[in-house]
Amino acid sequence: MKLNGEEGTDQPLVNGCCQEVARTEESPGEEAGEEGAKNDKEIVLIQDMGFNVQIQIPGGNPIELPVSSMELVQEIHQVLMDREDTCIRTCFSLQIDGVTLDNFAELKSIEGLKEGSVIKVVEEPYTVREARIHVRHIRDLLKSVDPADAYNGVDCNSLSFLNTVTVGDILDKKRSKPDSVDCTPPDFIMPSSKERPLLPLHPGLKDLKGPQCLKVLTYTGWNPPPGNRRMHGDLLYLYVLTLEDKKYHITASTRGFYVNQSTEDEFNPRAAQLKFLSHSLVDLLNQISPSFKRNFSILLKKRGQKHPFERVPTPYQIYSWMAPQSEHSVDYIRAEDAFSTRLGYEEHIPGQTRDWNEEIQTTRELSKKTLPERLIRERAIFKVHSDFVGAATRGAMAVIDGNVMAINPGEDAKMQMFIWNNIFFSLGFDVREHYKDFGGDYAAYIAPGNDLQGVKAYFNLDSEGLYTLGTAVIDYRGYRVTAQSIIPGILDREQEQSVVYGSIDFGKTVVTCDKYVELLQKTAPQLKIFPHKVLSDKGDEVELYTSLECKGIIGNDKRHYVLDLLRTFPPDINYLPIEDEPLSKIMQEHGYPKKHPHRLACLRQELIEAFVETRYVAFVRHAAFQFQQLQQQSQKKADENKDQKLVPQELELDGLEETPEEKEKKEKAESENIDEAKKIVEALTKSEGESFEENSKDIVKKAAAAVGSLSDTEFSIFFNPDVFQPHVKHPDEKSDHFQRQKKLVKDAAEFLVLHQIPSFISDCMEHSSSPIDGFTLCEALHNKGINIRYLGKVAEMISKYPSVSYVYTIVISELICRAAKHLFKLYMQGVDMMNTSAAISHFLNCYIGSYPSPHAQVTADELQSKKAKRKNSKKNKAAFLSIDNTEWANETPSKLWKKITEEVSEYFDYKLDCDSIEQVVEKYGLQRVSMLRAFCMSVGIQILLREYNLDIKNKQIFNEEDIVNIFPVAKHIHPKASDAYHFFTSGQTKIQQGLLREGYDLISEALNLLNNVYGALHPEIAACLRLLARLNYIMGEYGEAMSFQQRAVLMSERVLGIDNPNTITEYAHLALYCFANSQVSSALRLIYRTRYLALLCHGEDHPEVALIDSNIGLILHAVEEFDLSLRFLEHALEVNTKYFGQRSMKVAMNYHLVARTHSCRGDFRAALQSEKEAYAIYKQTLGEEHERTKESSECLKHLTQQAVVFQKKMNEIYKGEKSITFPPLHIQTPSIASVLDTLNVINGIVFVQISQEDIEKFRQQVSLKGAAKSEEPEKAQSTLKITEVPEEEEAKLPNGHAKINGDIAHTGPRGVTVGGE
């Protein structure tokens, strides 16, 4: 389980440094029960009182509203503007006993506000600003159920289809009887179906739109009102065309809205005959248009039916890679937004544009002493950050689309820089040959990404007094744009004057400053940076605590900024060929060092941490072993027992040869060893004894030398980021110490290839990591600290293991996708705006299509006549490249694939033997639809939602109408919610100890804190909801489980995307919980959607699909669709046999399920055959005496009897001895409960040992479920513990425990068993 490391990574929650904090803060868990004990200063837990108030609306009944004492008055405002019965008002104040409340006051600070107080809503006079806000709000209401904004990727709207899939909200449904269920799966998700349609990805689009209420609502051309009318209170003039085709001109005045007598060509502001003056525009429209009145109330109802999670904006914009054809309607407000370069909701913020840098730095400076303060601080940091990313993304698009004037307009287009909305933008090109020695434009393209990694590292340290810039890297239309907040005063001075630390000319001059030294001395050890001296050209020695390029600038705000952090981490020597610096023999055999297009390759922070951890373990082992030898000599009575316990182990280089059993035993022994060894080493470093003093120093010295420590007296592994950099001069280059620094950097790079990649592969082989698409693959690699440039090496190593061939397929498709992305970037830079869609569709035809000569549609020809004019206008255009560039049109599939294989070979050093899409599909088993999806998502293309015949050979697939839009792809840091994270981890610990209730409370508390920091939607909140759902499910609260999981699915769809691998997992969980709640038809729809999404991402050949199929098979079995069920179960059996091996427990379980289904169909012979296979596996793996083996043999007997009875009857019928009436065969139809138990088993949800107080609760449930069937795992009783039982260990459980049908989705040290995670 995780609280996503990087949008859902499986990174363990405690990264070394969080452990101590987690310990200190565990107190809230223990005190959750006793209010009195909360005197702990850590938890000044917000005294949050909830109470109800009455809201009195003008002309309506009072409504009751629950509020909390922490809320601001403004939040009541927001709620009222959102509620169905009050959403038509925007301009009002709230009063108690005639006193107007301050919008920004907290409710607890208001005198006389208590349970049952009456708050009056008082309509206020409008101002121009308020009138505009009102009109915009009404227009937002009118399009509130239209998915257009989600498809266009505006205002943080995104798609969600859960309620379409389940045909309405599952929580509102009554428990349906299983007999009324239509459960035929659609053809395209049946096993071995070849079609992969795209329309089902966006189901039910027709029903998503609401009814139309008006034809047009815009501002008129009579705005702004002339002076004499302003003195009559006119603010704005609107024009409305109703559904009855009547035209009205409406005045917005200070007192409200009324119809005036103007027409399109005559201005007459006097009120019309209809003397309605309405404070809300809606009331006026209701009066003048009956259709509006009818449709608007339908629309509000429809809006009210949407789940809140479907309506709230997401923190960052999510884009869909497919969109339906949209109608483009007249919308003056949208047009005004686009042209008034509205930078966010700037007209609502006093002081117009935002000073991003000031906001980002001020929020960092907020106090973080107590929990409430930290929550406010983290919330502010997160809010400002997500606003910044949104603004930066809009700005980057404006820059590339040519809507922003450069600050150096005289220079070449590639060298221009821009400032928009207080953000500085620069393009990823090598300006002024800055990166000449590092790989030119290639290096300039890579640098912003590396810099972002550096910013992330310093940002996460949260070191006081040291500031980083707000940074985002945006890829759009083939260009890479870096967006940064602006250091105050930096634009007024030359760089030489500003930089007080570091070097701006690659080491010719180097400066330093005491304040920076003091600040960076704190951060260097945390980032494992070794303080080192460098020489400038004049021969001055300067000590640095960062890489040379890192600059320290003191802004006019007197803050100390660090920037240019692109080499925060040590260089990756495997990709930096340097003469007379040979790598080790084994690395040379692996083909390193390799040539790389740039010289900025760095190791990842995750790798550095893993490397240091491994070395520390080795150091501890070595020292402890030496110490024991010493003790033995002094005591002369060797304690053999201990001798065996601690053996120095060389660093394992290749962990792949061991079998999982050996590995497991070894890991267990190792962890015990290490703990003991650590105690010894602590004793060594603190030992007081005289005689030991010398010896222990010696021991530490030897151990330090053995692991390459930079100090002789302690464990010290730090990296000098400036080694192997030709432009950096070190004063001590010949010294032994400097050689050690170089050796460490080489070792770390070697560790990546010889340890981390094999470790990743063994994770895949043990199924503790199982990527579904390129996105999850890259996450898994990054968590291990493996850079994407090693993808070729990963492919080469993983291809040797057939049991993970599905991962090999994903690696190949990611290699191809990335190579295509590199080429697409250069291709797009040569395309002018007029031909963009033609160029993209042409590229896709060459990439995905089989038609050998697609024709590019070039638009320039139609406009030939204007050529002459165009030549003159070109000079003052800041477009990036000339208009007449049509080189892109000459691309053909064979040329493009040749380039792709070359790119894969040059960049990733992997040889693909294919030169066309057909060969790729045939040779590597890739799917075109998955390649299309991956490519569109990685470069930001949105294509038209329709069915494409991707395999067609005699014409091209895409034309320019199929390209709907291009989106930016933004990279940025992710601010964390630290307290929530500690609650979450301590909750997980409690759960692992079997204390479910305490764990549950801690995780619920984590959910509250997450909501406090991130608002309503965030990937981490989704992960938290998923865990709460799983816990509820385990505790038997199926309804609660379903409600939490429903929110997790909605949230995952909204914040990660409707076809994100995480969303697929969420759907699978929800299907299980729906089934447990007897909502069989919903469960089937959900699990069918799960399978469909998995097919789109990857295809059928994947262990996750086998798990989904087992689920589908079982649920179909429960509704007695045995023939369908059999097809899915047999497919699951086939895939599991392929990936888990003939003899695995998973396969045995599959055989058993297939046997059950055969026997229910009355085909006893086939059933016997399958059950025999299961029995054979159990007998071989677990032995004769094991319960599971006995169960299986019972089952065999039963089946044999049935088969005999059946055969007898058939014989009698053939002989004609009996009248042909079949006696009832003993076929047990499965009960929902028994199927549910089997489902729990295959999904790895295991109940073992139950505590006294839980026994009663469970007994009631168990008794409800009827007598245990032979397939059911029995439930033993002592204390409730949820465990994952690895297949091999499982057989060795003591008899007091339940033996589960050993089929557990993933076995790994992952606390709660959350199957398939």
Side-chain angles (χ1 to χ4, degrees), residues 756-931:
Q756 292 301 84
I757 296 181
S759 153
F760 164 72
I761 296 174
S762 76
D763 280 0
C764 293
M765 290 172 75
E766 291 169 8
H767 301 278
S768 58
S769 162
S770 123
I772 289 187
D773 61 354
F775 174 72
T776 37
L777 170 77
C778 296
E779 259 173 12
L781 290 172
H782 283 159
N783 287 337
K784 289 270 179 208
I786 303 168
N787 309 66
I788 297 300
R789 61 177 166 272
Y790 285 94
L791 214 50
K793 181 49 92 184
V794 173
E796 178 193 314
M797 288 164 84
I798 208 164
S799 62
K800 301 178 185 131
Y801 300 97
S803 69
V804 282
S805 58
Y806 70 97
V807 185
Y808 178 62
T809 311
I810 298 173
V811 172
I812 294 291
S813 86
E814 187 64 7
L815 280 170
I816 293 173
C817 176
R818 291 201 173 239
K821 179 175 154 190
H822 296 170
L823 297 168
F824 180 76
K825 183 185 81 205
L826 296 166
Y827 172 94
M828 284 304 289
Q829 289 174 8
V831 176
D832 67 282
M833 279 299 269
M834 288 180 82
N835 291 319
T836 307
S837 59
I840 294 176
S841 62
H842 183 63
F843 188 94
L844 287 176
N845 282 325
C846 296
Y847 178 52
I848 300 282
S850 297
Y851 181 60
S853 50
H855 161 68
Q857 301 150 298
V858 183
T859 353
D861 313 346
E862 308 159 18
L863 305 165
Q864 223 60 49
S865 57
K866 303 190 180 159
K867 200 83 173 208
K869 288 183 200 161
R870 207 191 272 151
K871 286 222 164 63
N872 312 335
S873 66
K874 205 183 292 177
K875 289 192 191 76
N876 44 24
K877 253 207 166 136
F880 286 100
L881 281 131
S882 77
I883 297 245
D884 308 326
N885 182 336
T886 55
E887 197 174 291
W888 56 267
N890 306 330
E891 195 66 83
T892 64
S894 57
K895 278 195 214 163
L896 179 67
W897 275 95
K898 188 162 173 266
K899 285 185 195 162
I900 288 179
T901 47
E902 281 167 10
E903 178 70 17
V904 170
S905 154
E906 277 171 30
Y907 195 92
F908 297 108
D909 193 29
Y910 189 74
K911 188 167 176 343
L912 288 173
D913 33 358
C914 56
D915 53 16
S916 69
I917 180 89
E918 293 83 26
Q919 287 185 349
V920 170
V921 171
E922 191 178 328
K923 186 141 202 154
Y924 297 109
L926 270 59
Q927 302 188 110
R928 293 183 203 230
V929 68
S930 307
M931 291 171 69

Side-chain angles (χ1 to χ4, degrees), residues 714-746:
E714 59 176 345
F715 175 80
S716 147
I717 287 202
F718 294 104
F719 296 89
N720 173 350
D722 286 329
V723 290
F724 301 119
Q725 300 296 329
H727 61 279
V728 184
K729 298 198 240 356
H730 291 84
D732 51 355
E733 289 190 4
K734 295 287 169 279
S735 73
D736 162 55
H737 200 267
F738 188 67
Q739 295 309 319
R740 276 201 221 171
Q741 294 171 28
K742 293 203 323 203
K743 173 98 173 73
L744 269 180
V745 171
K746 282 186 186 173

Side-chain angles (χ1 to χ4, degrees), residues 524-525 527-531 608 611-613 615-620 681 685 700-720 737 740-745 747:
L527 296 173
K528 308 285 182 271
I529 296 173
F530 182 69
I608 299 300
F611 176 73
V612 173
E613 179 60 28
R615 282 288 161 106
Y616 182 59
V617 170
F619 168 78
V620 166
V681 174
T685 40
V700 172
K701 186 170 180 174
K702 277 186 190 161
V707 296
S709 162
L710 294 179
S711 145
D712 291 340
T713 53
E714 59 176 345
F715 175 80
S716 147
I717 287 202
F718 294 104
F719 296 89
N720 173 350
H737 200 267
R740 276 201 221 171
Q741 294 171 28
K742 293 203 323 203
K743 173 98 173 73
L744 269 180
V745 171
D747 288 353

